[in-house]
Coordinates of all heavy atoms in Angstrom, one line a residue:
M1 N 82.3 140.7 69.0 CA 81.8 139.7 68.1 C 80.9 138.8 69.2 O 81.4 138.4 70.2 CB 82.7 138.9 67.5 CG 82.2 138.0 66.4 SD 83.6 137.7 65.2 CE 83.1 136.1 64.7
E2 N 79.7 138.5 68.6 CA 78.8 137.7 69.4 C 78.9 136.2 69.1 O 79.0 135.8 68.0 CB 77.4 138.2 69.3 CG 76.4 137.5 70.1 CD 75.0 138.2 69.8 OE1 74.9 139.3 69.5 OE2 74.0 137.5 70.1
I3 N 79.0 135.4 70.2 CA 79.0 133.9 69.9 C 77.6 133.4 69.9 O 76.8 133.8 70.6 CB 79.7 133.2 71.1 CG1 81.1 133.7 71.2 CG2 79.7 131.6 71.0 CD1 81.9 133.1 72.4
I4 N 77.3 132.6 68.8 CA 76.0 132.1 68.5 C 75.9 130.8 69.1 O 76.7 129.8 68.7 CB 75.7 132.1 67.0 CG1 75.8 133.6 66.6 CG2 74.3 131.6 66.7 CD1 75.6 133.8 65.0
N5 N 74.9 130.4 69.9 CA 74.6 129.2 70.4 C 73.7 128.5 69.4 O 72.5 128.8 69.2 CB 73.9 129.3 71.8 CG 73.6 128.0 72.4 OD1 73.7 127.0 71.9 ND2 73.3 128.0 73.7
R6 N 74.2 127.4 68.8 CA 73.4 126.8 67.7 C 72.1 126.1 68.3 O 71.0 126.0 67.6 CB 74.2 125.6 67.1 CG 75.2 126.2 66.3 CD 76.0 125.0 65.4 NE 77.1 125.5 64.7 CZ 77.0 125.9 63.5 NH1 75.9 125.9 62.8 NH2 78.1 126.3 62.7
N7 N 72.1 125.5 69.7 CA 71.0 124.9 70.1 C 69.9 126.0 70.3 O 68.6 125.7 70.1 CB 71.3 124.3 71.4 CG 72.2 123.0 71.3 OD1 72.1 122.4 70.1 ND2 72.9 122.6 72.3
Q8 N 70.2 127.2 70.7 CA 69.3 128.3 70.9 C 68.6 128.8 69.6 O 67.5 128.9 69.4 CB 69.9 129.4 71.6 CG 68.9 130.6 71.9 CD 67.8 130.1 72.9 OE1 68.1 129.4 73.7 NE2 66.5 130.6 72.4
V9 N 69.5 128.8 68.6 CA 69.0 129.1 67.2 C 68.1 128.0 66.7 O 66.9 128.4 66.2 CB 70.2 129.3 66.1 CG1 69.7 129.5 64.8 CG2 71.0 130.5 66.6
K10 N 68.4 126.8 67.0 CA 67.4 125.7 66.5 C 66.1 125.8 67.2 O 65.1 125.6 66.7 CB 68.1 124.4 66.8 CG 67.4 123.2 66.3 CD 68.1 121.9 66.5 CE 67.2 120.7 66.1 NZ 67.9 119.4 66.3
A11 N 66.3 126.0 68.6 CA 65.0 126.3 69.4 C 64.2 127.4 68.9 O 62.9 127.3 68.9 CB 65.3 126.4 70.9
D12 N 64.7 128.5 68.6 CA 64.1 129.6 68.1 C 63.3 129.4 66.8 O 62.1 129.8 66.7 CB 65.1 130.9 67.8 CG 65.5 131.5 69.2 OD1 64.9 131.2 70.3 OD2 66.5 132.1 69.1
Y13 N 64.0 128.7 65.9 CA 63.3 128.3 64.6 C 62.2 127.2 64.8 O 61.3 127.2 64.1 CB 64.3 127.9 63.6 CG 65.1 129.1 63.0 CD1 66.3 129.4 63.3 CD2 64.3 130.1 62.2 CE1 67.0 130.7 62.8 CE2 65.0 131.4 61.7 CZ 66.3 131.5 62.1 OH 66.8 132.6 61.6
Q14 N 62.4 126.5 65.8 CA 61.4 125.5 66.0 C 60.2 126.1 66.5 O 59.0 125.7 66.2 CB 61.8 124.4 67.0 CG 62.8 123.3 66.3 CD 63.4 122.3 67.4 OE1 63.4 122.6 68.6 NE2 63.9 121.4 66.9
K15 N 60.4 127.2 67.4 CA 59.2 128.0 67.9 C 58.6 128.7 66.7 O 57.3 128.8 66.7 CB 59.9 128.9 68.9 CG 58.7 129.7 69.7 CD 59.3 130.7 70.6 CE 59.9 130.1 71.9 NZ 60.3 131.1 72.8
L16 N 59.3 129.2 65.7 CA 58.7 129.8 64.6 C 57.9 128.9 63.9 O 56.7 129.3 63.5 CB 59.9 130.4 63.7 CG 59.3 131.0 62.3 CD1 58.4 132.2 62.6 CD2 60.5 131.4 61.5
V17 N 58.2 127.7 63.6 CA 57.4 126.6 63.1 C 56.1 126.4 63.8 O 55.1 126.4 63.2 CB 58.2 125.4 62.7 CG1 57.2 124.3 62.2 CG2 59.3 125.5 61.7
L18 N 56.3 126.3 65.0 CA 55.0 126.2 65.9 C 54.2 127.4 65.8 O 52.9 127.2 65.7 CB 55.5 125.9 67.4 CG 54.3 126.0 68.4 CD1 53.5 124.7 68.1 CD2 54.9 126.0 69.8
C19 N 54.8 128.6 65.8 CA 53.9 129.7 65.5 C 53.1 129.8 64.3 O 52.0 130.2 64.4 CB 54.8 131.0 65.7 SG 55.4 131.3 67.4
I20 N 53.8 129.4 63.2 CA 53.2 129.4 61.9 C 52.1 128.4 61.9 O 50.9 128.7 61.5 CB 54.2 129.2 60.8 CG1 55.1 130.3 60.7 CG2 53.5 128.8 59.4 CD1 56.3 130.1 59.8
F21 N 52.3 127.3 62.5 CA 51.1 126.2 62.6 C 50.0 126.7 63.5 O 48.9 126.6 63.0 CB 51.8 125.0 63.3 CG 50.7 124.0 63.6 CD1 50.2 123.2 62.5 CD2 50.2 123.8 64.9 CE1 49.2 122.2 62.9 CE2 49.3 122.8 65.2 CZ 48.7 122.1 64.1
L22 N 50.2 127.3 64.5 CA 49.2 127.9 65.4 C 48.4 129.1 64.6 O 47.2 129.2 64.7 CB 49.7 128.5 66.6 CG 50.2 127.3 67.7 CD1 51.0 127.8 68.8 CD2 49.1 126.4 68.1
D23 N 49.1 129.7 63.9 CA 48.4 130.9 63.0 C 47.5 130.2 61.9 O 46.4 130.6 61.7 CB 49.3 131.8 62.3 CG 49.9 132.8 63.3 OD1 49.2 133.3 64.3 OD2 51.1 133.3 63.1
L24 N 48.0 129.1 61.5 CA 47.2 128.4 60.4 C 45.9 127.7 61.1 O 44.8 127.7 60.5 CB 47.9 127.3 59.7 CG 49.0 127.8 58.8 CD1 49.9 126.5 58.2 CD2 48.4 128.4 57.6
V25 N 46.0 127.2 62.4 CA 44.9 126.7 63.1 C 43.8 127.8 63.3 O 42.7 127.6 63.1 CB 45.4 126.1 64.4 CG1 44.1 125.8 65.3 CG2 46.1 124.8 64.3
G26 N 44.4 129.0 63.7 CA 43.4 130.2 63.8 C 42.7 130.5 62.5 O 41.5 130.9 62.6
C27 N 43.3 130.4 61.4 CA 42.7 130.6 60.1 C 41.8 129.6 59.7 O 41.0 129.7 58.7 CB 43.8 130.8 59.1 SG 44.7 132.4 59.2
F28 N 41.9 128.3 60.3 CA 41.0 127.2 60.0 C 39.5 127.5 59.9 O 38.7 126.9 59.2 CB 41.3 126.0 60.8 CG 40.6 124.8 60.5 CD1 40.8 124.2 59.3 CD2 39.6 124.3 61.5 CE1 40.0 123.0 59.1 CE2 38.9 123.2 61.1 CZ 39.1 122.5 60.0
S29 N 39.1 128.5 60.8 CA 37.7 128.7 60.9 C 37.2 129.4 59.7 O 35.9 129.2 59.4 CB 37.4 129.8 62.1 OG 38.1 130.9 61.8
Y30 N 38.1 129.9 58.8 CA 37.5 130.4 57.5 C 37.1 129.3 56.6 O 36.3 129.4 55.7 CB 38.5 131.3 56.7 CG 38.7 132.6 57.3 CD1 39.9 133.0 57.7 CD2 37.6 133.5 57.4 CE1 40.1 134.4 58.2 CE2 37.7 134.8 57.8 CZ 39.0 135.3 58.2 OH 39.1 136.5 58.7
A31 N 37.6 128.1 56.8 CA 37.3 126.8 55.9 C 35.9 126.2 56.4 O 35.3 125.5 55.6 CB 38.4 125.8 56.0
L32 N 35.3 126.6 57.4 CA 34.1 126.1 57.9 C 33.0 127.2 58.1 O 32.9 127.8 59.1 CB 34.4 125.4 59.2 CG 35.5 124.3 59.4 CD1 35.7 124.0 60.8 CD2 34.9 123.1 58.6
P33 N 32.3 127.5 57.1 CA 31.3 128.5 57.2 C 30.3 128.2 58.4 O 29.9 127.1 58.5 CB 30.6 128.5 55.8 CG 31.5 127.7 55.0 CD 32.3 126.8 55.8
F34 N 30.0 129.2 59.0 CA 29.0 129.2 60.2 C 29.6 128.4 61.4 O 29.6 128.9 62.5 CB 27.7 128.6 59.8 CG 27.0 129.4 58.6 CD1 27.0 128.7 57.5 CD2 26.6 130.7 58.8 CE1 26.4 129.5 56.3 CE2 26.1 131.3 57.7 CZ 25.9 130.7 56.5
I35 N 30.2 127.3 61.2 CA 30.8 126.5 62.3 C 32.1 127.1 62.7 O 32.4 127.1 63.8 CB 31.1 125.2 61.9 CG1 29.8 124.4 61.4 CG2 31.8 124.3 63.0 CD1 29.9 123.0 60.8
G36 N 32.8 127.8 61.9 CA 34.0 128.5 62.1 C 33.9 129.5 63.3 O 34.8 129.7 64.0
E37 N 32.8 130.3 63.4 CA 32.7 131.3 64.3 C 32.5 130.6 65.8 O 33.0 131.2 66.8 CB 31.5 132.2 64.1 CG 31.7 133.1 62.9 CD 32.9 133.8 62.9 OE1 33.4 134.4 63.9 OE2 33.6 133.9 61.8
F38 N 31.9 129.5 65.8 CA 31.8 128.7 67.1 C 33.1 128.2 67.5 O 33.6 128.2 68.6 CB 30.9 127.7 67.0 CG 29.4 128.2 66.8 CD1 28.7 127.9 65.7 CD2 28.8 128.6 67.8 CE1 27.4 128.2 65.5 CE2 27.5 129.1 67.8 CZ 26.9 128.9 66.6
F39 N 33.9 127.8 66.5 CA 35.3 127.4 66.8 C 36.2 128.5 67.3 O 36.9 128.3 68.2 CB 36.0 126.9 65.5 CG 37.4 126.6 65.5 CD1 37.8 125.4 66.2 CD2 38.4 127.4 65.0 CE1 39.2 125.1 66.3 CE2 39.8 127.0 65.2 CZ 40.1 125.9 65.7
D40 N 35.9 129.8 66.8 CA 36.7 130.9 67.3 C 36.4 131.2 68.8 O 37.2 131.5 69.6 CB 36.2 132.0 66.5 CG 37.1 132.1 65.2 OD1 38.1 131.5 65.0 OD2 36.7 133.0 64.3
V41 N 35.2 130.9 69.2 CA 34.8 131.1 70.6 C 35.6 130.1 71.5 O 36.1 130.5 72.6 CB 33.2 131.1 70.8 CG1 32.8 131.0 72.3 CG2 32.5 132.2 70.0
I42 N 35.8 128.9 71.0 CA 36.5 128.0 71.8 C 38.1 128.2 71.7 O 38.8 128.0 72.7 CB 36.2 126.6 71.3 CG1 34.8 126.3 71.7 CG2 37.1 125.5 71.9 CD1 34.2 125.0 71.0
W43 N 38.5 128.6 70.4 CA 39.9 128.7 70.1 C 40.6 130.0 70.8 O 41.7 130.0 71.2 CB 40.2 128.7 68.7 CG 41.5 128.8 68.3 CD1 42.0 130.0 67.6 CD2 42.8 128.1 68.6 NE1 43.5 129.8 67.4 CE2 43.8 128.7 68.1 CE3 42.9 126.9 69.3 CZ2 45.2 128.1 68.1 CZ3 44.1 126.4 69.5 CH2 45.3 127.0 68.8
A44 N 39.8 131.0 71.0 CA 40.2 132.2 71.5 C 41.0 132.2 72.8 O 42.0 132.7 72.9 CB 39.2 133.3 71.5
P45 N 40.3 131.7 73.8 CA 40.9 131.6 75.1 C 42.2 130.5 75.1 O 43.1 130.9 75.9 CB 39.9 131.2 76.1 CG 38.8 130.7 75.3 CD 38.9 131.2 73.9
I46 N 42.0 129.6 74.3 CA 43.1 128.6 74.3 C 44.3 129.1 73.6 O 45.4 129.0 74.1 CB 42.6 127.2 73.4 CG1 41.5 126.6 74.2 CG2 43.7 126.4 73.2 CD1 40.8 125.5 73.4
S47 N 44.1 129.8 72.5 CA 45.2 130.5 71.8 C 45.8 131.5 72.7 O 47.0 131.7 72.7 CB 44.8 131.0 70.5 OG 43.9 132.1 70.6
G48 N 45.1 132.3 73.4 CA 45.7 133.3 74.4 C 46.5 132.7 75.4 O 47.6 133.2 75.7
I49 N 46.1 131.5 76.1 CA 46.9 130.8 77.0 C 48.2 130.3 76.4 O 49.2 130.3 76.9 CB 46.0 129.7 77.7 CG1 44.9 130.4 78.5 CG2 46.9 128.8 78.5 CD1 43.8 129.4 79.0
I50 N 48.0 129.7 75.2 CA 49.2 129.1 74.5 C 50.3 130.2 74.3 O 51.4 130.1 74.5 CB 48.8 128.5 73.2 CG1 48.0 127.2 73.5 CG2 50.0 128.1 72.3 CD1 47.4 126.5 72.3
M51 N 49.8 131.4 73.9 CA 50.6 132.5 73.6 C 51.4 133.0 74.8 O 52.6 133.2 74.8 CB 49.8 133.8 73.1 CG 50.7 135.0 72.7 SD 51.6 134.8 71.2 CE 50.4 135.2 70.0
L52 N 50.7 132.8 76.0 CA 51.3 133.3 77.3 C 52.3 132.2 77.6 O 53.4 132.6 78.3 CB 50.2 133.2 78.4 CG 49.5 134.5 78.6 CD1 48.3 134.3 79.5 CD2 50.3 135.7 79.0
S53 N 52.1 130.8 77.3 CA 53.1 129.9 77.6 C 54.3 129.9 76.7 O 55.4 129.6 77.1 CB 52.5 128.6 77.7 OG 52.1 128.2 76.3
I54 N 54.1 130.3 75.5 CA 55.2 130.3 74.5 C 56.1 131.6 74.7 O 57.4 131.4 74.8 CB 54.7 130.3 73.1 CG1 54.1 129.1 72.9 CG2 55.9 130.6 72.1 CD1 53.5 129.0 71.4
F55 N 55.7 132.8 75.0 CA 56.3 134.0 75.2 C 56.1 134.5 76.6 O 55.0 134.9 76.9 CB 55.8 135.1 74.1 CG 56.0 134.7 72.7 CD1 54.9 134.1 72.0 CD2 57.2 134.6 72.1 CE1 55.1 133.7 70.7 CE2 57.4 134.3 70.7 CZ 56.4 133.8 70.1
K56 N 57.1 134.5 77.3 CA 57.3 134.9 78.7 C 57.2 136.4 78.8 O 57.6 137.1 77.9 CB 58.3 134.2 79.5 CG 58.5 132.7 79.3 CD 57.3 132.1 79.9 CE 57.4 130.5 79.8 NZ 56.2 129.9 80.0
G57 N 57.0 136.9 80.0 CA 57.2 138.3 80.3 C 56.0 139.2 79.8 O 54.9 138.7 79.6
N58 N 56.3 140.4 79.8 CA 55.2 141.4 79.3 C 54.9 141.2 77.9 O 53.7 141.4 77.5 CB 55.8 142.8 79.5 CG 55.8 143.2 81.0 OD1 55.0 142.7 81.7 ND2 56.6 144.2 81.3
S59 N 55.9 140.9 77.1 CA 55.6 140.5 75.7 C 54.4 139.4 75.5 O 53.5 139.5 74.7 CB 56.8 140.2 74.9 OG 57.9 141.2 74.8
G60 N 54.6 138.4 76.3 CA 53.7 137.4 76.2 C 52.3 137.7 76.8 O 51.3 137.3 76.3
K61 N 52.2 138.6 77.8 CA 51.0 138.9 78.4 C 50.2 139.8 77.4 O 49.1 139.7 77.1 CB 51.3 139.9 79.7 CG 51.8 139.0 80.7 CD 52.1 139.8 82.0 CE 52.7 138.9 83.1 NZ 53.2 139.7 84.2
V62 N 50.9 140.8 76.8 CA 50.2 141.7 75.8 C 49.9 141.0 74.5 O 48.8 140.9 74.0 CB 51.3 142.8 75.4 CG1 50.7 143.5 74.1 CG2 51.5 143.8 76.5
A63 N 50.8 140.0 74.1 CA 50.5 139.1 72.9 C 49.3 138.2 73.2 O 48.5 138.1 72.3 CB 51.7 138.4 72.5
G64 N 49.3 137.6 74.5 CA 48.1 136.7 74.7 C 46.9 137.5 74.7 O 45.9 136.9 74.2
F65 N 46.8 138.8 75.1 CA 45.6 139.5 75.1 C 45.2 139.8 73.6 O 44.0 139.6 73.2 CB 45.7 140.8 75.9 CG 44.5 141.7 75.9 CD1 43.3 141.4 76.4 CD2 44.6 142.8 74.8 CE1 42.2 142.2 76.3 CE2 43.5 143.7 74.7 CZ 42.4 143.3 75.3
L66 N 46.3 140.2 72.9 CA 46.0 140.6 71.5 C 45.5 139.3 70.6 O 44.5 139.3 69.8 CB 47.2 141.3 70.9 CG 47.6 142.6 71.4 CD1 48.8 143.0 70.8 CD2 46.4 143.5 71.1
E67 N 46.2 138.1 71.0 CA 45.7 137.0 70.3 C 44.2 136.6 70.6 O 43.4 136.2 69.7 CB 46.6 135.8 70.7 CG 46.1 134.4 70.2 CD 46.2 134.4 68.7 OE1 46.9 135.1 68.0 OE2 45.6 133.4 68.1
F68 N 43.9 136.7 71.9 CA 42.5 136.5 72.4 C 41.6 137.4 71.5 O 40.6 137.0 71.0 CB 42.4 136.6 73.8 CG 40.9 136.5 74.3 CD1 40.4 135.2 74.4 CD2 40.2 137.7 74.5 CE1 39.1 135.2 74.8 CE2 38.9 137.5 74.9 CZ 38.3 136.2 75.1
A69 N 41.9 138.7 71.5 CA 41.0 139.7 71.0 C 40.9 139.4 69.4 O 39.8 139.4 68.8 CB 41.6 141.0 71.2
E70 N 42.0 139.0 68.8 CA 42.1 138.8 67.4 C 41.1 137.7 67.0 O 40.5 137.7 66.0 CB 43.5 138.6 67.0 CG 43.6 138.4 65.4 CD 44.1 137.0 65.1 OE1 44.9 136.4 65.9 OE2 43.7 136.3 64.1
E71 N 41.2 136.6 67.8 CA 40.5 135.4 67.6 C 38.9 135.6 67.9 O 38.1 135.1 67.1 CB 40.9 134.2 68.4 CG 42.3 133.7 67.8 CD 42.3 133.2 66.4 OE1 41.2 132.7 66.0 OE2 43.4 133.2 65.8
I72 N 38.7 136.4 68.9 CA 37.2 136.6 69.2 C 36.5 137.6 68.3 O 35.3 137.6 68.2 CB 37.1 136.9 70.8 CG1 35.8 136.5 71.3 CG2 37.3 138.4 71.1 CD1 35.6 135.1 71.5
I73 N 37.2 138.6 67.8 CA 36.6 139.6 66.9 C 36.4 138.9 65.6 O 37.4 138.4 64.9 CB 37.4 140.9 66.8 CG1 37.6 141.5 68.3 CG2 37.0 142.0 65.8 CD1 38.5 142.6 68.3
P74 N 35.3 139.0 64.9 CA 35.0 138.4 63.6 C 35.9 139.1 62.6 O 36.2 140.3 62.6 CB 33.5 138.7 63.4 CG 32.9 139.1 64.7 CD 34.0 139.6 65.5
F75 N 36.2 138.2 61.6 CA 37.0 138.7 60.4 C 38.4 139.2 60.6 O 38.9 139.9 59.8 CB 36.2 139.7 59.6 CG 34.8 139.3 59.3 CD1 33.7 140.0 59.9 CD2 34.4 138.2 58.5 CE1 32.4 139.6 59.7 CE2 33.2 137.8 58.3 CZ 32.1 138.5 58.8
T76 N 39.0 138.8 61.7 CA 40.4 139.2 62.0 C 41.3 138.0 62.1 O 42.5 138.1 62.4 CB 40.4 140.0 63.3 OG1 40.0 139.2 64.3 CG2 39.7 141.3 63.2
D77 N 40.9 136.8 61.8 CA 41.5 135.6 62.0 C 42.8 135.5 60.9 O 43.7 134.8 61.2 CB 40.8 134.3 61.7 CG 39.8 134.2 62.7 OD1 39.9 134.6 63.9 OD2 38.7 133.3 62.5
F78 N 42.8 136.3 59.9 CA 43.8 136.3 58.9 C 45.2 136.9 59.5 O 46.2 136.7 58.9 CB 43.5 137.0 57.7 CG 43.3 138.6 57.9 CD1 44.3 139.3 57.7 CD2 42.0 139.0 58.2 CE1 44.1 140.8 57.8 CE2 41.8 140.4 58.4 CZ 42.9 141.3 58.1
I79 N 45.2 137.6 60.6 CA 46.3 138.3 61.1 C 47.1 137.2 61.8 O 46.8 136.5 62.8 CB 46.0 139.4 62.2 CG1 45.0 140.4 61.6 CG2 47.2 140.0 62.8 CD1 44.3 141.4 62.5
P80 N 48.5 137.1 61.5 CA 49.4 136.1 62.0 C 49.9 136.4 63.4 O 51.2 136.8 63.4 CB 50.3 135.8 60.8 CG 50.4 137.2 60.4 CD 49.2 137.7 60.3
T81 N 49.2 136.6 64.3 CA 49.6 137.1 65.6 C 50.8 136.3 66.2 O 51.7 136.9 66.8 CB 48.4 137.2 66.7 OG1 47.3 137.7 66.0 CG2 48.7 138.0 67.8
F82 N 50.8 135.0 66.2 CA 51.7 134.2 66.6 C 53.2 134.6 66.1 O 54.2 134.7 66.7 CB 51.6 132.7 66.6 CG 50.6 132.1 67.8 CD1 49.2 132.1 67.4 CD2 51.1 131.9 68.9 CE1 48.3 131.5 68.4 CE2 50.3 131.4 69.9 CZ 48.9 131.2 69.6
T83 N 53.0 134.5 64.7 CA 54.3 134.8 63.9 C 54.9 136.2 64.1 O 56.0 136.4 64.3 CB 54.0 134.5 62.4 OG1 53.6 133.1 62.3 CG2 55.1 134.6 61.6
L84 N 53.9 137.1 64.2 CA 54.3 138.5 64.4 C 55.0 138.7 65.8 O 55.9 139.4 66.0 CB 53.2 139.6 64.3 CG 52.6 139.7 62.9 CD1 51.4 140.5 62.9 CD2 53.7 140.3 61.9
T85 N 54.4 138.0 66.8 CA 55.1 138.0 68.1 C 56.4 137.4 68.1 O 57.4 137.9 68.7 CB 54.2 137.3 69.1 OG1 52.9 137.9 69.1 CG2 54.7 137.5 70.5
W86 N 56.6 136.3 67.3 CA 57.9 135.7 67.2 C 58.9 136.6 66.6 O 60.0 136.8 67.2 CB 57.9 134.3 66.3 CG 59.2 133.7 66.4 CD1 59.6 132.7 67.2 CD2 60.2 134.0 65.3 NE1 60.9 132.3 66.9 CE2 61.3 133.0 65.7 CE3 60.4 134.8 64.3 CZ2 62.4 132.9 65.0 CZ3 61.6 134.7 63.6 CH2 62.6 133.8 64.0
I87 N 58.5 137.3 65.5 CA 59.4 138.3 65.0 C 59.8 139.4 65.8 O 61.0 139.8 66.1 CB 58.7 138.9 63.6 CG1 58.6 137.8 62.6 CG2 59.5 140.1 63.1 CD1 57.7 138.2 61.5
Y88 N 58.8 139.9 66.6 CA 59.0 141.0 67.5 C 60.0 140.6 68.7 O 60.9 141.4 69.0 CB 57.8 141.4 68.2 CG 57.9 142.4 69.3 CD1 58.1 143.8 69.0 CD2 57.8 142.1 70.6 CE1 58.3 144.7 70.0 CE2 58.0 143.1 71.6 CZ 58.2 144.5 71.3 OH 58.5 145.4 72.2
T89 N 59.9 139.3 69.1 CA 60.8 138.8 70.3 C 62.1 138.3 69.7 O 63.0 138.2 70.6 CB 60.0 137.8 71.1 OG1 59.7 136.7 70.3 CG2 58.9 138.5 71.7
N90 N 62.3 138.0 68.5 CA 63.6 137.3 68.0 C 64.4 138.1 67.0 O 65.5 137.8 66.9 CB 63.2 136.0 67.4 CG 62.9 135.0 68.4 OD1 63.6 134.5 69.2 ND2 61.6 134.8 68.6
V91 N 63.8 139.1 66.3 CA 64.5 139.9 65.5 C 65.2 141.0 66.2 O 64.6 141.7 67.0 CB 63.6 140.5 64.3 CG1 64.5 141.5 63.4 CG2 63.1 139.3 63.5
E92 N 66.4 141.2 65.9 CA 67.2 142.2 66.6 C 67.0 143.6 65.8 O 67.5 143.6 64.7 CB 68.6 141.9 66.8 CG 69.6 142.9 67.6 CD 70.9 142.4 67.7 OE1 71.2 141.2 68.1 OE2 71.9 143.3 67.6
W93 N 66.3 144.5 66.5 CA 66.1 145.7 65.7 C 67.2 146.7 66.0 O 67.5 146.9 67.1 CB 64.7 146.3 66.2 CG 63.6 145.4 66.1 CD1 63.0 144.6 66.9 CD2 62.9 145.2 64.9 NE1 62.0 143.8 66.5 CE2 61.9 144.1 65.1 CE3 62.9 145.7 63.6 CZ2 61.1 143.7 64.2 CZ3 62.1 145.3 62.7 CH2 61.1 144.3 63.0
K94 N 67.7 147.2 64.9 CA 68.8 148.1 65.1 C 68.3 149.7 64.8 O 67.7 149.8 63.8 CB 70.1 147.9 64.1 CG 70.6 146.4 64.5 CD 71.8 146.2 63.5 CE 72.3 144.8 63.9 NZ 73.5 144.5 63.0
N95 N 68.6 150.5 65.7 CA 68.2 151.9 65.4 C 69.4 152.6 64.8 O 70.4 152.9 65.5 CB 67.9 152.5 66.8 CG 67.4 154.0 66.6 OD1 67.2 154.5 65.4 ND2 66.9 154.5 67.7
N96 N 69.3 152.9 63.5 CA 70.4 153.4 62.7 C 70.1 155.0 62.5 O 70.8 155.5 61.7 CB 70.8 152.7 61.5 CG 69.6 152.4 60.7 OD1 68.6 153.1 60.8 ND2 69.9 151.8 59.6
G97 N 69.2 155.5 63.2 CA 68.9 156.9 63.2 C 68.0 157.3 61.8 O 67.9 158.4 61.5
L98 N 67.4 156.3 61.2 CA 66.6 156.6 60.1 C 65.1 156.8 60.6 O 64.6 156.3 61.5 CB 66.6 155.4 59.0 CG 67.9 155.3 58.4 CD1 67.8 154.2 57.5 CD2 68.2 156.5 57.7

């Protein structure tokens, strides 16, 4: 049986809220026609660096690159890269042979 650290669980869920917020910031460019694409050019490297700082190791490096690419490529802002990375790093995947 695994002992659950309540402080770690709280920190993980606070990180999830931050990830959802950052995904919403990335989607904000859809609200600003024409100006939004310029926002993406500025936001893409910033969001990649933020991703690297939130998620450490190889997961953070890959996710940072994917976040940068997702923000810089037009019409892909709807993908919640921060939230998907949180799920990938925090959900315990069980291989039950299916």
Side-chain angles (χ1 to χ4, degrees):
M1 190 158 150
E2 187 176 332
I3 298 174
I4 298 173
N5 182 348
R6 289 186 184 269
N7 290 334
Q8 182 61 41
V9 171
K10 183 177 179 182
D12 287 342
Y13 283 109
Q14 287 173 341
K15 189 184 287 187
L16 173 60
V17 170
L18 176 63
C19 288
I20 292 169
F21 172 76
L22 291 169
D23 282 330
L24 291 173
V25 170
C27 289
F28 179 68
S29 64
Y30 282 127
L32 304 169
F34 304 110
I35 298 170
E37 294 307 318
F38 293 113
F39 174 76
D40 282 345
V41 170
I42 295 168
W43 176 244
I46 294 170
S47 65
I49 292 168
I50 292 172
M51 183 73 83
L52 279 170
S53 68
I54 293 175
F55 299 100
K56 306 295 182 198
N58 288 334
S59 295
K61 291 175 186 173
V62 171
F65 173 77
L66 291 175
E67 175 63 23
F68 173 80
E70 181 247 322
E71 290 297 334
I72 206 76
I73 297 170
F75 309 113
T76 58
D77 290 345
F78 66 91
I79 301 170
T81 312
F82 280 99
T83 305
L84 291 173
T85 304
W86 184 90
I87 291 169
Y88 177 78
T89 59
N90 287 285
V91 173
E92 189 175 316
W93 303 99
K94 295 182 181 178
N95 185 2
N96 58 6
L98 295 177

